[in-house]
mmCIF file of all heavy atoms in Angstrom:
data_model
loop_
_atom_site.group_PDB
_atom_site.id
_atom_site.type_symbol
_atom_site.label_atom_id
_atom_site.label_comp_id
_atom_site.label_asym_id
_atom_site.label_seq_id
_atom_site.Cartn_x
_atom_site.Cartn_y
_atom_site.Cartn_z
ATOM 1 N N ALA X 22 18.666 -7.513 -5.203
ATOM 2 C CA ALA X 22 18.562 -5.976 -5.538
ATOM 3 C C ALA X 22 19.515 -5.547 -6.614
ATOM 4 O O ALA X 22 19.640 -4.316 -6.673
ATOM 5 C CB ALA X 22 18.618 -5.262 -4.249
ATOM 6 N N THR X 63 1.520 9.372 -23.742
ATOM 7 C CA THR X 63 2.914 8.990 -23.844
ATOM 8 C C THR X 63 3.414 8.114 -22.735
ATOM 9 O O THR X 63 3.275 8.687 -21.499
ATOM 10 C CB THR X 63 3.795 10.153 -24.223
ATOM 11 O OG1 THR X 63 3.431 10.802 -25.383
ATOM 12 C CG2 THR X 63 5.213 9.737 -24.455
ATOM 13 N N THR X 68 15.154 7.131 -15.770
ATOM 14 C CA THR X 68 15.956 7.115 -14.463
ATOM 15 C C THR X 68 16.143 8.571 -13.923
ATOM 16 O O THR X 68 16.176 9.551 -14.853
ATOM 17 C CB THR X 68 17.208 6.358 -14.602
ATOM 18 O OG1 THR X 68 18.073 7.063 -15.492
ATOM 19 C CG2 THR X 68 17.053 5.043 -14.922
ATOM 20 N N MET X 100 3.565 5.762 -5.253
ATOM 21 C CA MET X 100 4.552 4.854 -4.507
ATOM 22 C C MET X 100 3.870 3.746 -3.807
ATOM 23 O O MET X 100 2.824 3.942 -3.182
ATOM 24 C CB MET X 100 5.397 5.679 -3.557
ATOM 25 C CG MET X 100 6.113 7.012 -4.025
ATOM 26 S SD MET X 100 6.920 7.817 -2.605
ATOM 27 C CE MET X 100 7.282 9.345 -3.456
ATOM 28 N N GLY X 102 4.782 0.280 -1.105
ATOM 29 C CA GLY X 102 5.375 0.130 0.189
ATOM 30 C C GLY X 102 6.341 -0.929 0.331
ATOM 31 O O GLY X 102 7.293 -0.956 -0.291
ATOM 32 N N SER X 129 -5.024 -17.594 -11.299
ATOM 33 C CA SER X 129 -3.767 -18.397 -11.317
ATOM 34 C C SER X 129 -2.484 -17.715 -11.639
ATOM 35 O O SER X 129 -2.546 -16.925 -12.562
ATOM 36 C CB SER X 129 -4.213 -19.613 -12.393
ATOM 37 O OG SER X 129 -3.025 -20.364 -12.639
ATOM 38 N N GLY X 156 16.295 -0.484 -4.913
ATOM 39 C CA GLY X 156 16.206 -1.930 -4.609
ATOM 40 C C GLY X 156 14.872 -2.437 -4.971
ATOM 41 O O GLY X 156 14.757 -3.732 -4.899
ATOM 42 N N PHE X 211 2.422 5.151 4.581
ATOM 43 C CA PHE X 211 3.142 5.733 5.645
ATOM 44 C C PHE X 211 4.108 6.818 5.112
ATOM 45 O O PHE X 211 4.272 7.820 5.679
ATOM 46 C CB PHE X 211 4.127 4.594 6.331
ATOM 47 C CG PHE X 211 5.182 5.031 7.254
ATOM 48 C CD1 PHE X 211 4.874 5.020 8.541
ATOM 49 C CD2 PHE X 211 6.454 5.425 6.775
ATOM 50 C CE1 PHE X 211 5.905 5.352 9.348
ATOM 51 C CE2 PHE X 211 7.385 5.899 7.665
ATOM 52 C CZ PHE X 211 7.184 5.934 8.982
ATOM 53 N N GLY X 213 3.362 8.714 2.486
ATOM 54 C CA GLY X 213 2.646 9.705 1.885
ATOM 55 C C GLY X 213 2.655 11.022 2.710
ATOM 56 O O GLY X 213 3.153 12.063 2.205
ATOM 57 N N VAL X 216 6.369 12.437 3.067
ATOM 58 C CA VAL X 216 6.926 12.949 1.897
ATOM 59 C C VAL X 216 6.224 14.348 1.628
ATOM 60 O O VAL X 216 6.882 15.455 1.283
ATOM 61 C CB VAL X 216 6.746 12.147 0.719
ATOM 62 C CG1 VAL X 216 6.966 12.829 -0.582
ATOM 63 C CG2 VAL X 216 7.592 10.936 0.803
ATOM 64 N N GLN X 221 6.808 20.206 1.553
ATOM 65 C CA GLN X 221 6.327 21.519 1.978
ATOM 66 C C GLN X 221 7.361 22.355 2.673
ATOM 67 O O GLN X 221 7.660 23.491 2.258
ATOM 68 C CB GLN X 221 5.142 21.288 2.869
ATOM 69 C CG GLN X 221 3.771 20.936 2.344
ATOM 70 C CD GLN X 221 2.745 20.783 3.439
ATOM 71 O OE1 GLN X 221 3.178 20.294 4.495
ATOM 72 N NE2 GLN X 221 1.565 21.101 3.153
ATOM 73 N N VAL X 232 -3.650 10.994 -1.580
ATOM 74 C CA VAL X 232 -4.472 9.885 -1.524
ATOM 75 C C VAL X 232 -3.783 8.666 -0.917
ATOM 76 O O VAL X 232 -2.636 8.325 -1.353
ATOM 77 C CB VAL X 232 -5.029 9.421 -2.878
ATOM 78 C CG1 VAL X 232 -5.974 8.107 -2.731
ATOM 79 C CG2 VAL X 232 -5.709 10.478 -3.632
ATOM 80 N N LYS X 270 -24.697 -10.016 2.697
ATOM 81 C CA LYS X 270 -25.361 -8.885 3.397
ATOM 82 C C LYS X 270 -24.422 -7.690 3.632
ATOM 83 O O LYS X 270 -24.777 -6.791 4.457
ATOM 84 C CB LYS X 270 -25.783 -9.496 4.844
ATOM 85 C CG LYS X 270 -26.768 -10.633 4.815
ATOM 86 C CD LYS X 270 -27.150 -11.136 6.132
ATOM 87 C CE LYS X 270 -28.128 -12.301 6.164
ATOM 88 N NZ LYS X 270 -28.345 -12.906 7.471
ATOM 89 N N MET X 311 -21.662 -11.727 14.741
ATOM 90 C CA MET X 311 -21.136 -10.885 13.836
ATOM 91 C C MET X 311 -20.191 -11.522 12.858
ATOM 92 O O MET X 311 -20.021 -11.128 11.758
ATOM 93 C CB MET X 311 -20.450 -9.634 14.516
ATOM 94 C CG MET X 311 -21.354 -8.697 15.143
ATOM 95 S SD MET X 311 -20.515 -7.493 16.192
ATOM 96 C CE MET X 311 -19.622 -6.614 14.909
ATOM 97 N N ALA X 398 9.847 -7.062 -7.931
ATOM 98 C CA ALA X 398 8.373 -6.586 -7.554
ATOM 99 C C ALA X 398 8.413 -6.311 -6.107
ATOM 100 O O ALA X 398 7.790 -5.385 -5.786
ATOM 101 C CB ALA X 398 7.512 -7.648 -7.998
ATOM 102 N N HIS X 437 -9.879 2.439 1.867
ATOM 103 C CA HIS X 437 -9.595 1.179 2.375
ATOM 104 C C HIS X 437 -10.691 0.175 1.800
ATOM 105 O O HIS X 437 -11.690 0.575 1.411
ATOM 106 C CB HIS X 437 -9.746 1.123 3.868
ATOM 107 C CG HIS X 437 -8.595 1.723 4.641
ATOM 108 N ND1 HIS X 437 -7.525 0.934 5.102
ATOM 109 C CD2 HIS X 437 -8.417 2.886 5.203
ATOM 110 C CE1 HIS X 437 -6.696 1.649 5.951
ATOM 111 N NE2 HIS X 437 -7.256 2.868 5.987
ATOM 112 N N PRO X 457 -8.110 17.313 14.687
ATOM 113 C CA PRO X 457 -8.870 18.606 14.668
ATOM 114 C C PRO X 457 -9.453 18.869 13.275
ATOM 115 O O PRO X 457 -8.913 18.468 12.252
ATOM 116 C CB PRO X 457 -7.972 19.657 15.163
ATOM 117 C CG PRO X 457 -6.726 19.123 14.756
ATOM 118 C CD PRO X 457 -6.811 17.562 14.901
ATOM 119 N N ASP X 481 -16.120 -2.748 -9.173
ATOM 120 C CA ASP X 481 -17.044 -1.831 -8.624
ATOM 121 C C ASP X 481 -16.265 -1.062 -7.607
ATOM 122 O O ASP X 481 -16.541 0.240 -7.568
ATOM 123 C CB ASP X 481 -18.305 -2.541 -7.960
ATOM 124 C CG ASP X 481 -19.184 -3.098 -9.010
ATOM 125 O OD1 ASP X 481 -19.094 -2.804 -10.131
ATOM 126 O OD2 ASP X 481 -20.016 -3.982 -8.684
ATOM 127 N N MET X 493 -12.392 14.736 -5.417
ATOM 128 C CA MET X 493 -11.337 15.392 -4.602
ATOM 129 C C MET X 493 -10.524 16.362 -5.522
ATOM 130 O O MET X 493 -10.316 17.558 -5.163
ATOM 131 C CB MET X 493 -10.492 14.555 -4.004
ATOM 132 C CG MET X 493 -9.534 15.285 -2.876
ATOM 133 S SD MET X 493 -8.371 14.179 -2.141
ATOM 134 C CE MET X 493 -7.086 14.149 -3.440
#
Side-chain angles (χ1 to χ4, degrees):
T63 300
T68 61
M100 305 174 189
S129 170
F211 174 96
V216 168
Q221 283 176 325
V232 182
K270 297 177 181 177
M311 289 171 65
H437 282 272
D481 289 346
M493 185 188 81

